[in-house]
Amino acid sequence: MSILVFLDQADGHIKKSSFEAASYAAKVAEMTGTTAEGILLGTVNDDLSALGNYGIKKVHTVADATLNNLDAQVFTKIIAQAAEATGADIIVCSHNTSGKAIAPRLSVRLKAGLVSGAAALPDLSNGFTVKKTVFSGKAFANIAVTSAKKIIALNPNSFDIITTTGTAEVVPF
């Protein structure tokens, strides 16, 4: 079992929200006793091994220029294949435009429970419960996810970027 995080990119650079999602995934991996891996679609100019500084152990890349722009159906298919290949039970993405288009489709394809707009780390003391924002961020709800596979779409700016030292292994997918 591992945790897979979708690393979103634009104009050849990884988005800030992806660093938040990577830090979040690494923390959840630490809580569950597993590892965090990333999937990056498209071509980027950034040093991908530096994602190890955010807790990612392995980055799976599909370096194809046709994936530089969002195509939710294609992205969903590739991420689902990556989740199956890595044995990921938890998939993390940012709750931005890309995440809002991909996460629900991915949830249906993988028969996974989805928490969109997550605002905190999951509570593992009594199952798997995630705090999320509701009513335009004016209130919170605790969502219990009971499915075997889980998808968490993290609200941007709701989790601090945590840096450590490390390097990620970069492998083509």
Side-chain angles (χ1 to χ4, degrees):
M1 179 179 97
S2 66
I3 296 176
L4 184 67
V5 59
F6 168 61
L7 302 166
D8 201 6
Q9 58 87 19
D11 300 325
H13 299 287
I14 298 171
K15 293 183 179 180
K16 176 188 176 261
S17 60
S18 291
F19 294 121
E20 293 174 24
S23 295
Y24 182 90
K27 189 64 177 171
V28 173
E30 180 183 315
M31 293 168 61
T32 58
T34 186
T35 59
E37 299 182 13
I39 178 83
L40 181 71
L41 308 177
T43 56
V44 294
N45 302 323
D46 298 334
D47 176 20
L48 298 181
S49 63
L51 287 166
N53 293 331
Y54 302 96
I56 302 298
K57 301 295 181 199
K58 186 186 285 188
V59 179
H60 304 273
T61 62
V62 182
D64 186 346
T66 60
L67 298 173
N68 286 344
N69 297 313
L70 176 66
D71 183 338
Q73 290 178 333
V74 173
F75 278 36
T76 300
K77 184 176 180 182
I78 295 169
I79 295 168
Q81 290 171 351
E84 304 247 340
T86 61
D89 289 335
I90 301 172
I91 300 160
V92 178
C93 65
S94 183
H95 191 60
N96 57 11
T97 305
S98 300
K100 289 177 184 178
I102 295 168
R105 286 179 166 93
L106 199 57
S107 175
V108 171
R109 184 176 287 263
L110 297 176
K111 296 178 178 41
L114 169 63
V115 178
S116 58
L121 289 167
D123 178 9
L124 303 176
S125 62
N126 192 15
F128 193 94
T129 305
V130 181
K131 182 179 179 181
K132 69 170 269 164
T133 57
V134 293
F135 301 118
S136 301
K138 295 180 177 115
F140 296 99
N142 292 317
I143 307 298
V145 184
T146 57
S147 61
K149 294 195 181 286
K150 300 156 182 61
I151 299 171
I152 302 171
L154 180 67
N155 264 345
N157 300 317
S158 64
F159 192 78
D160 290 332
I161 295 174
I162 301 168
T163 57
T164 60
T165 55
T167 57
E169 177 186 357
V170 180
V171 296
F173 180 75

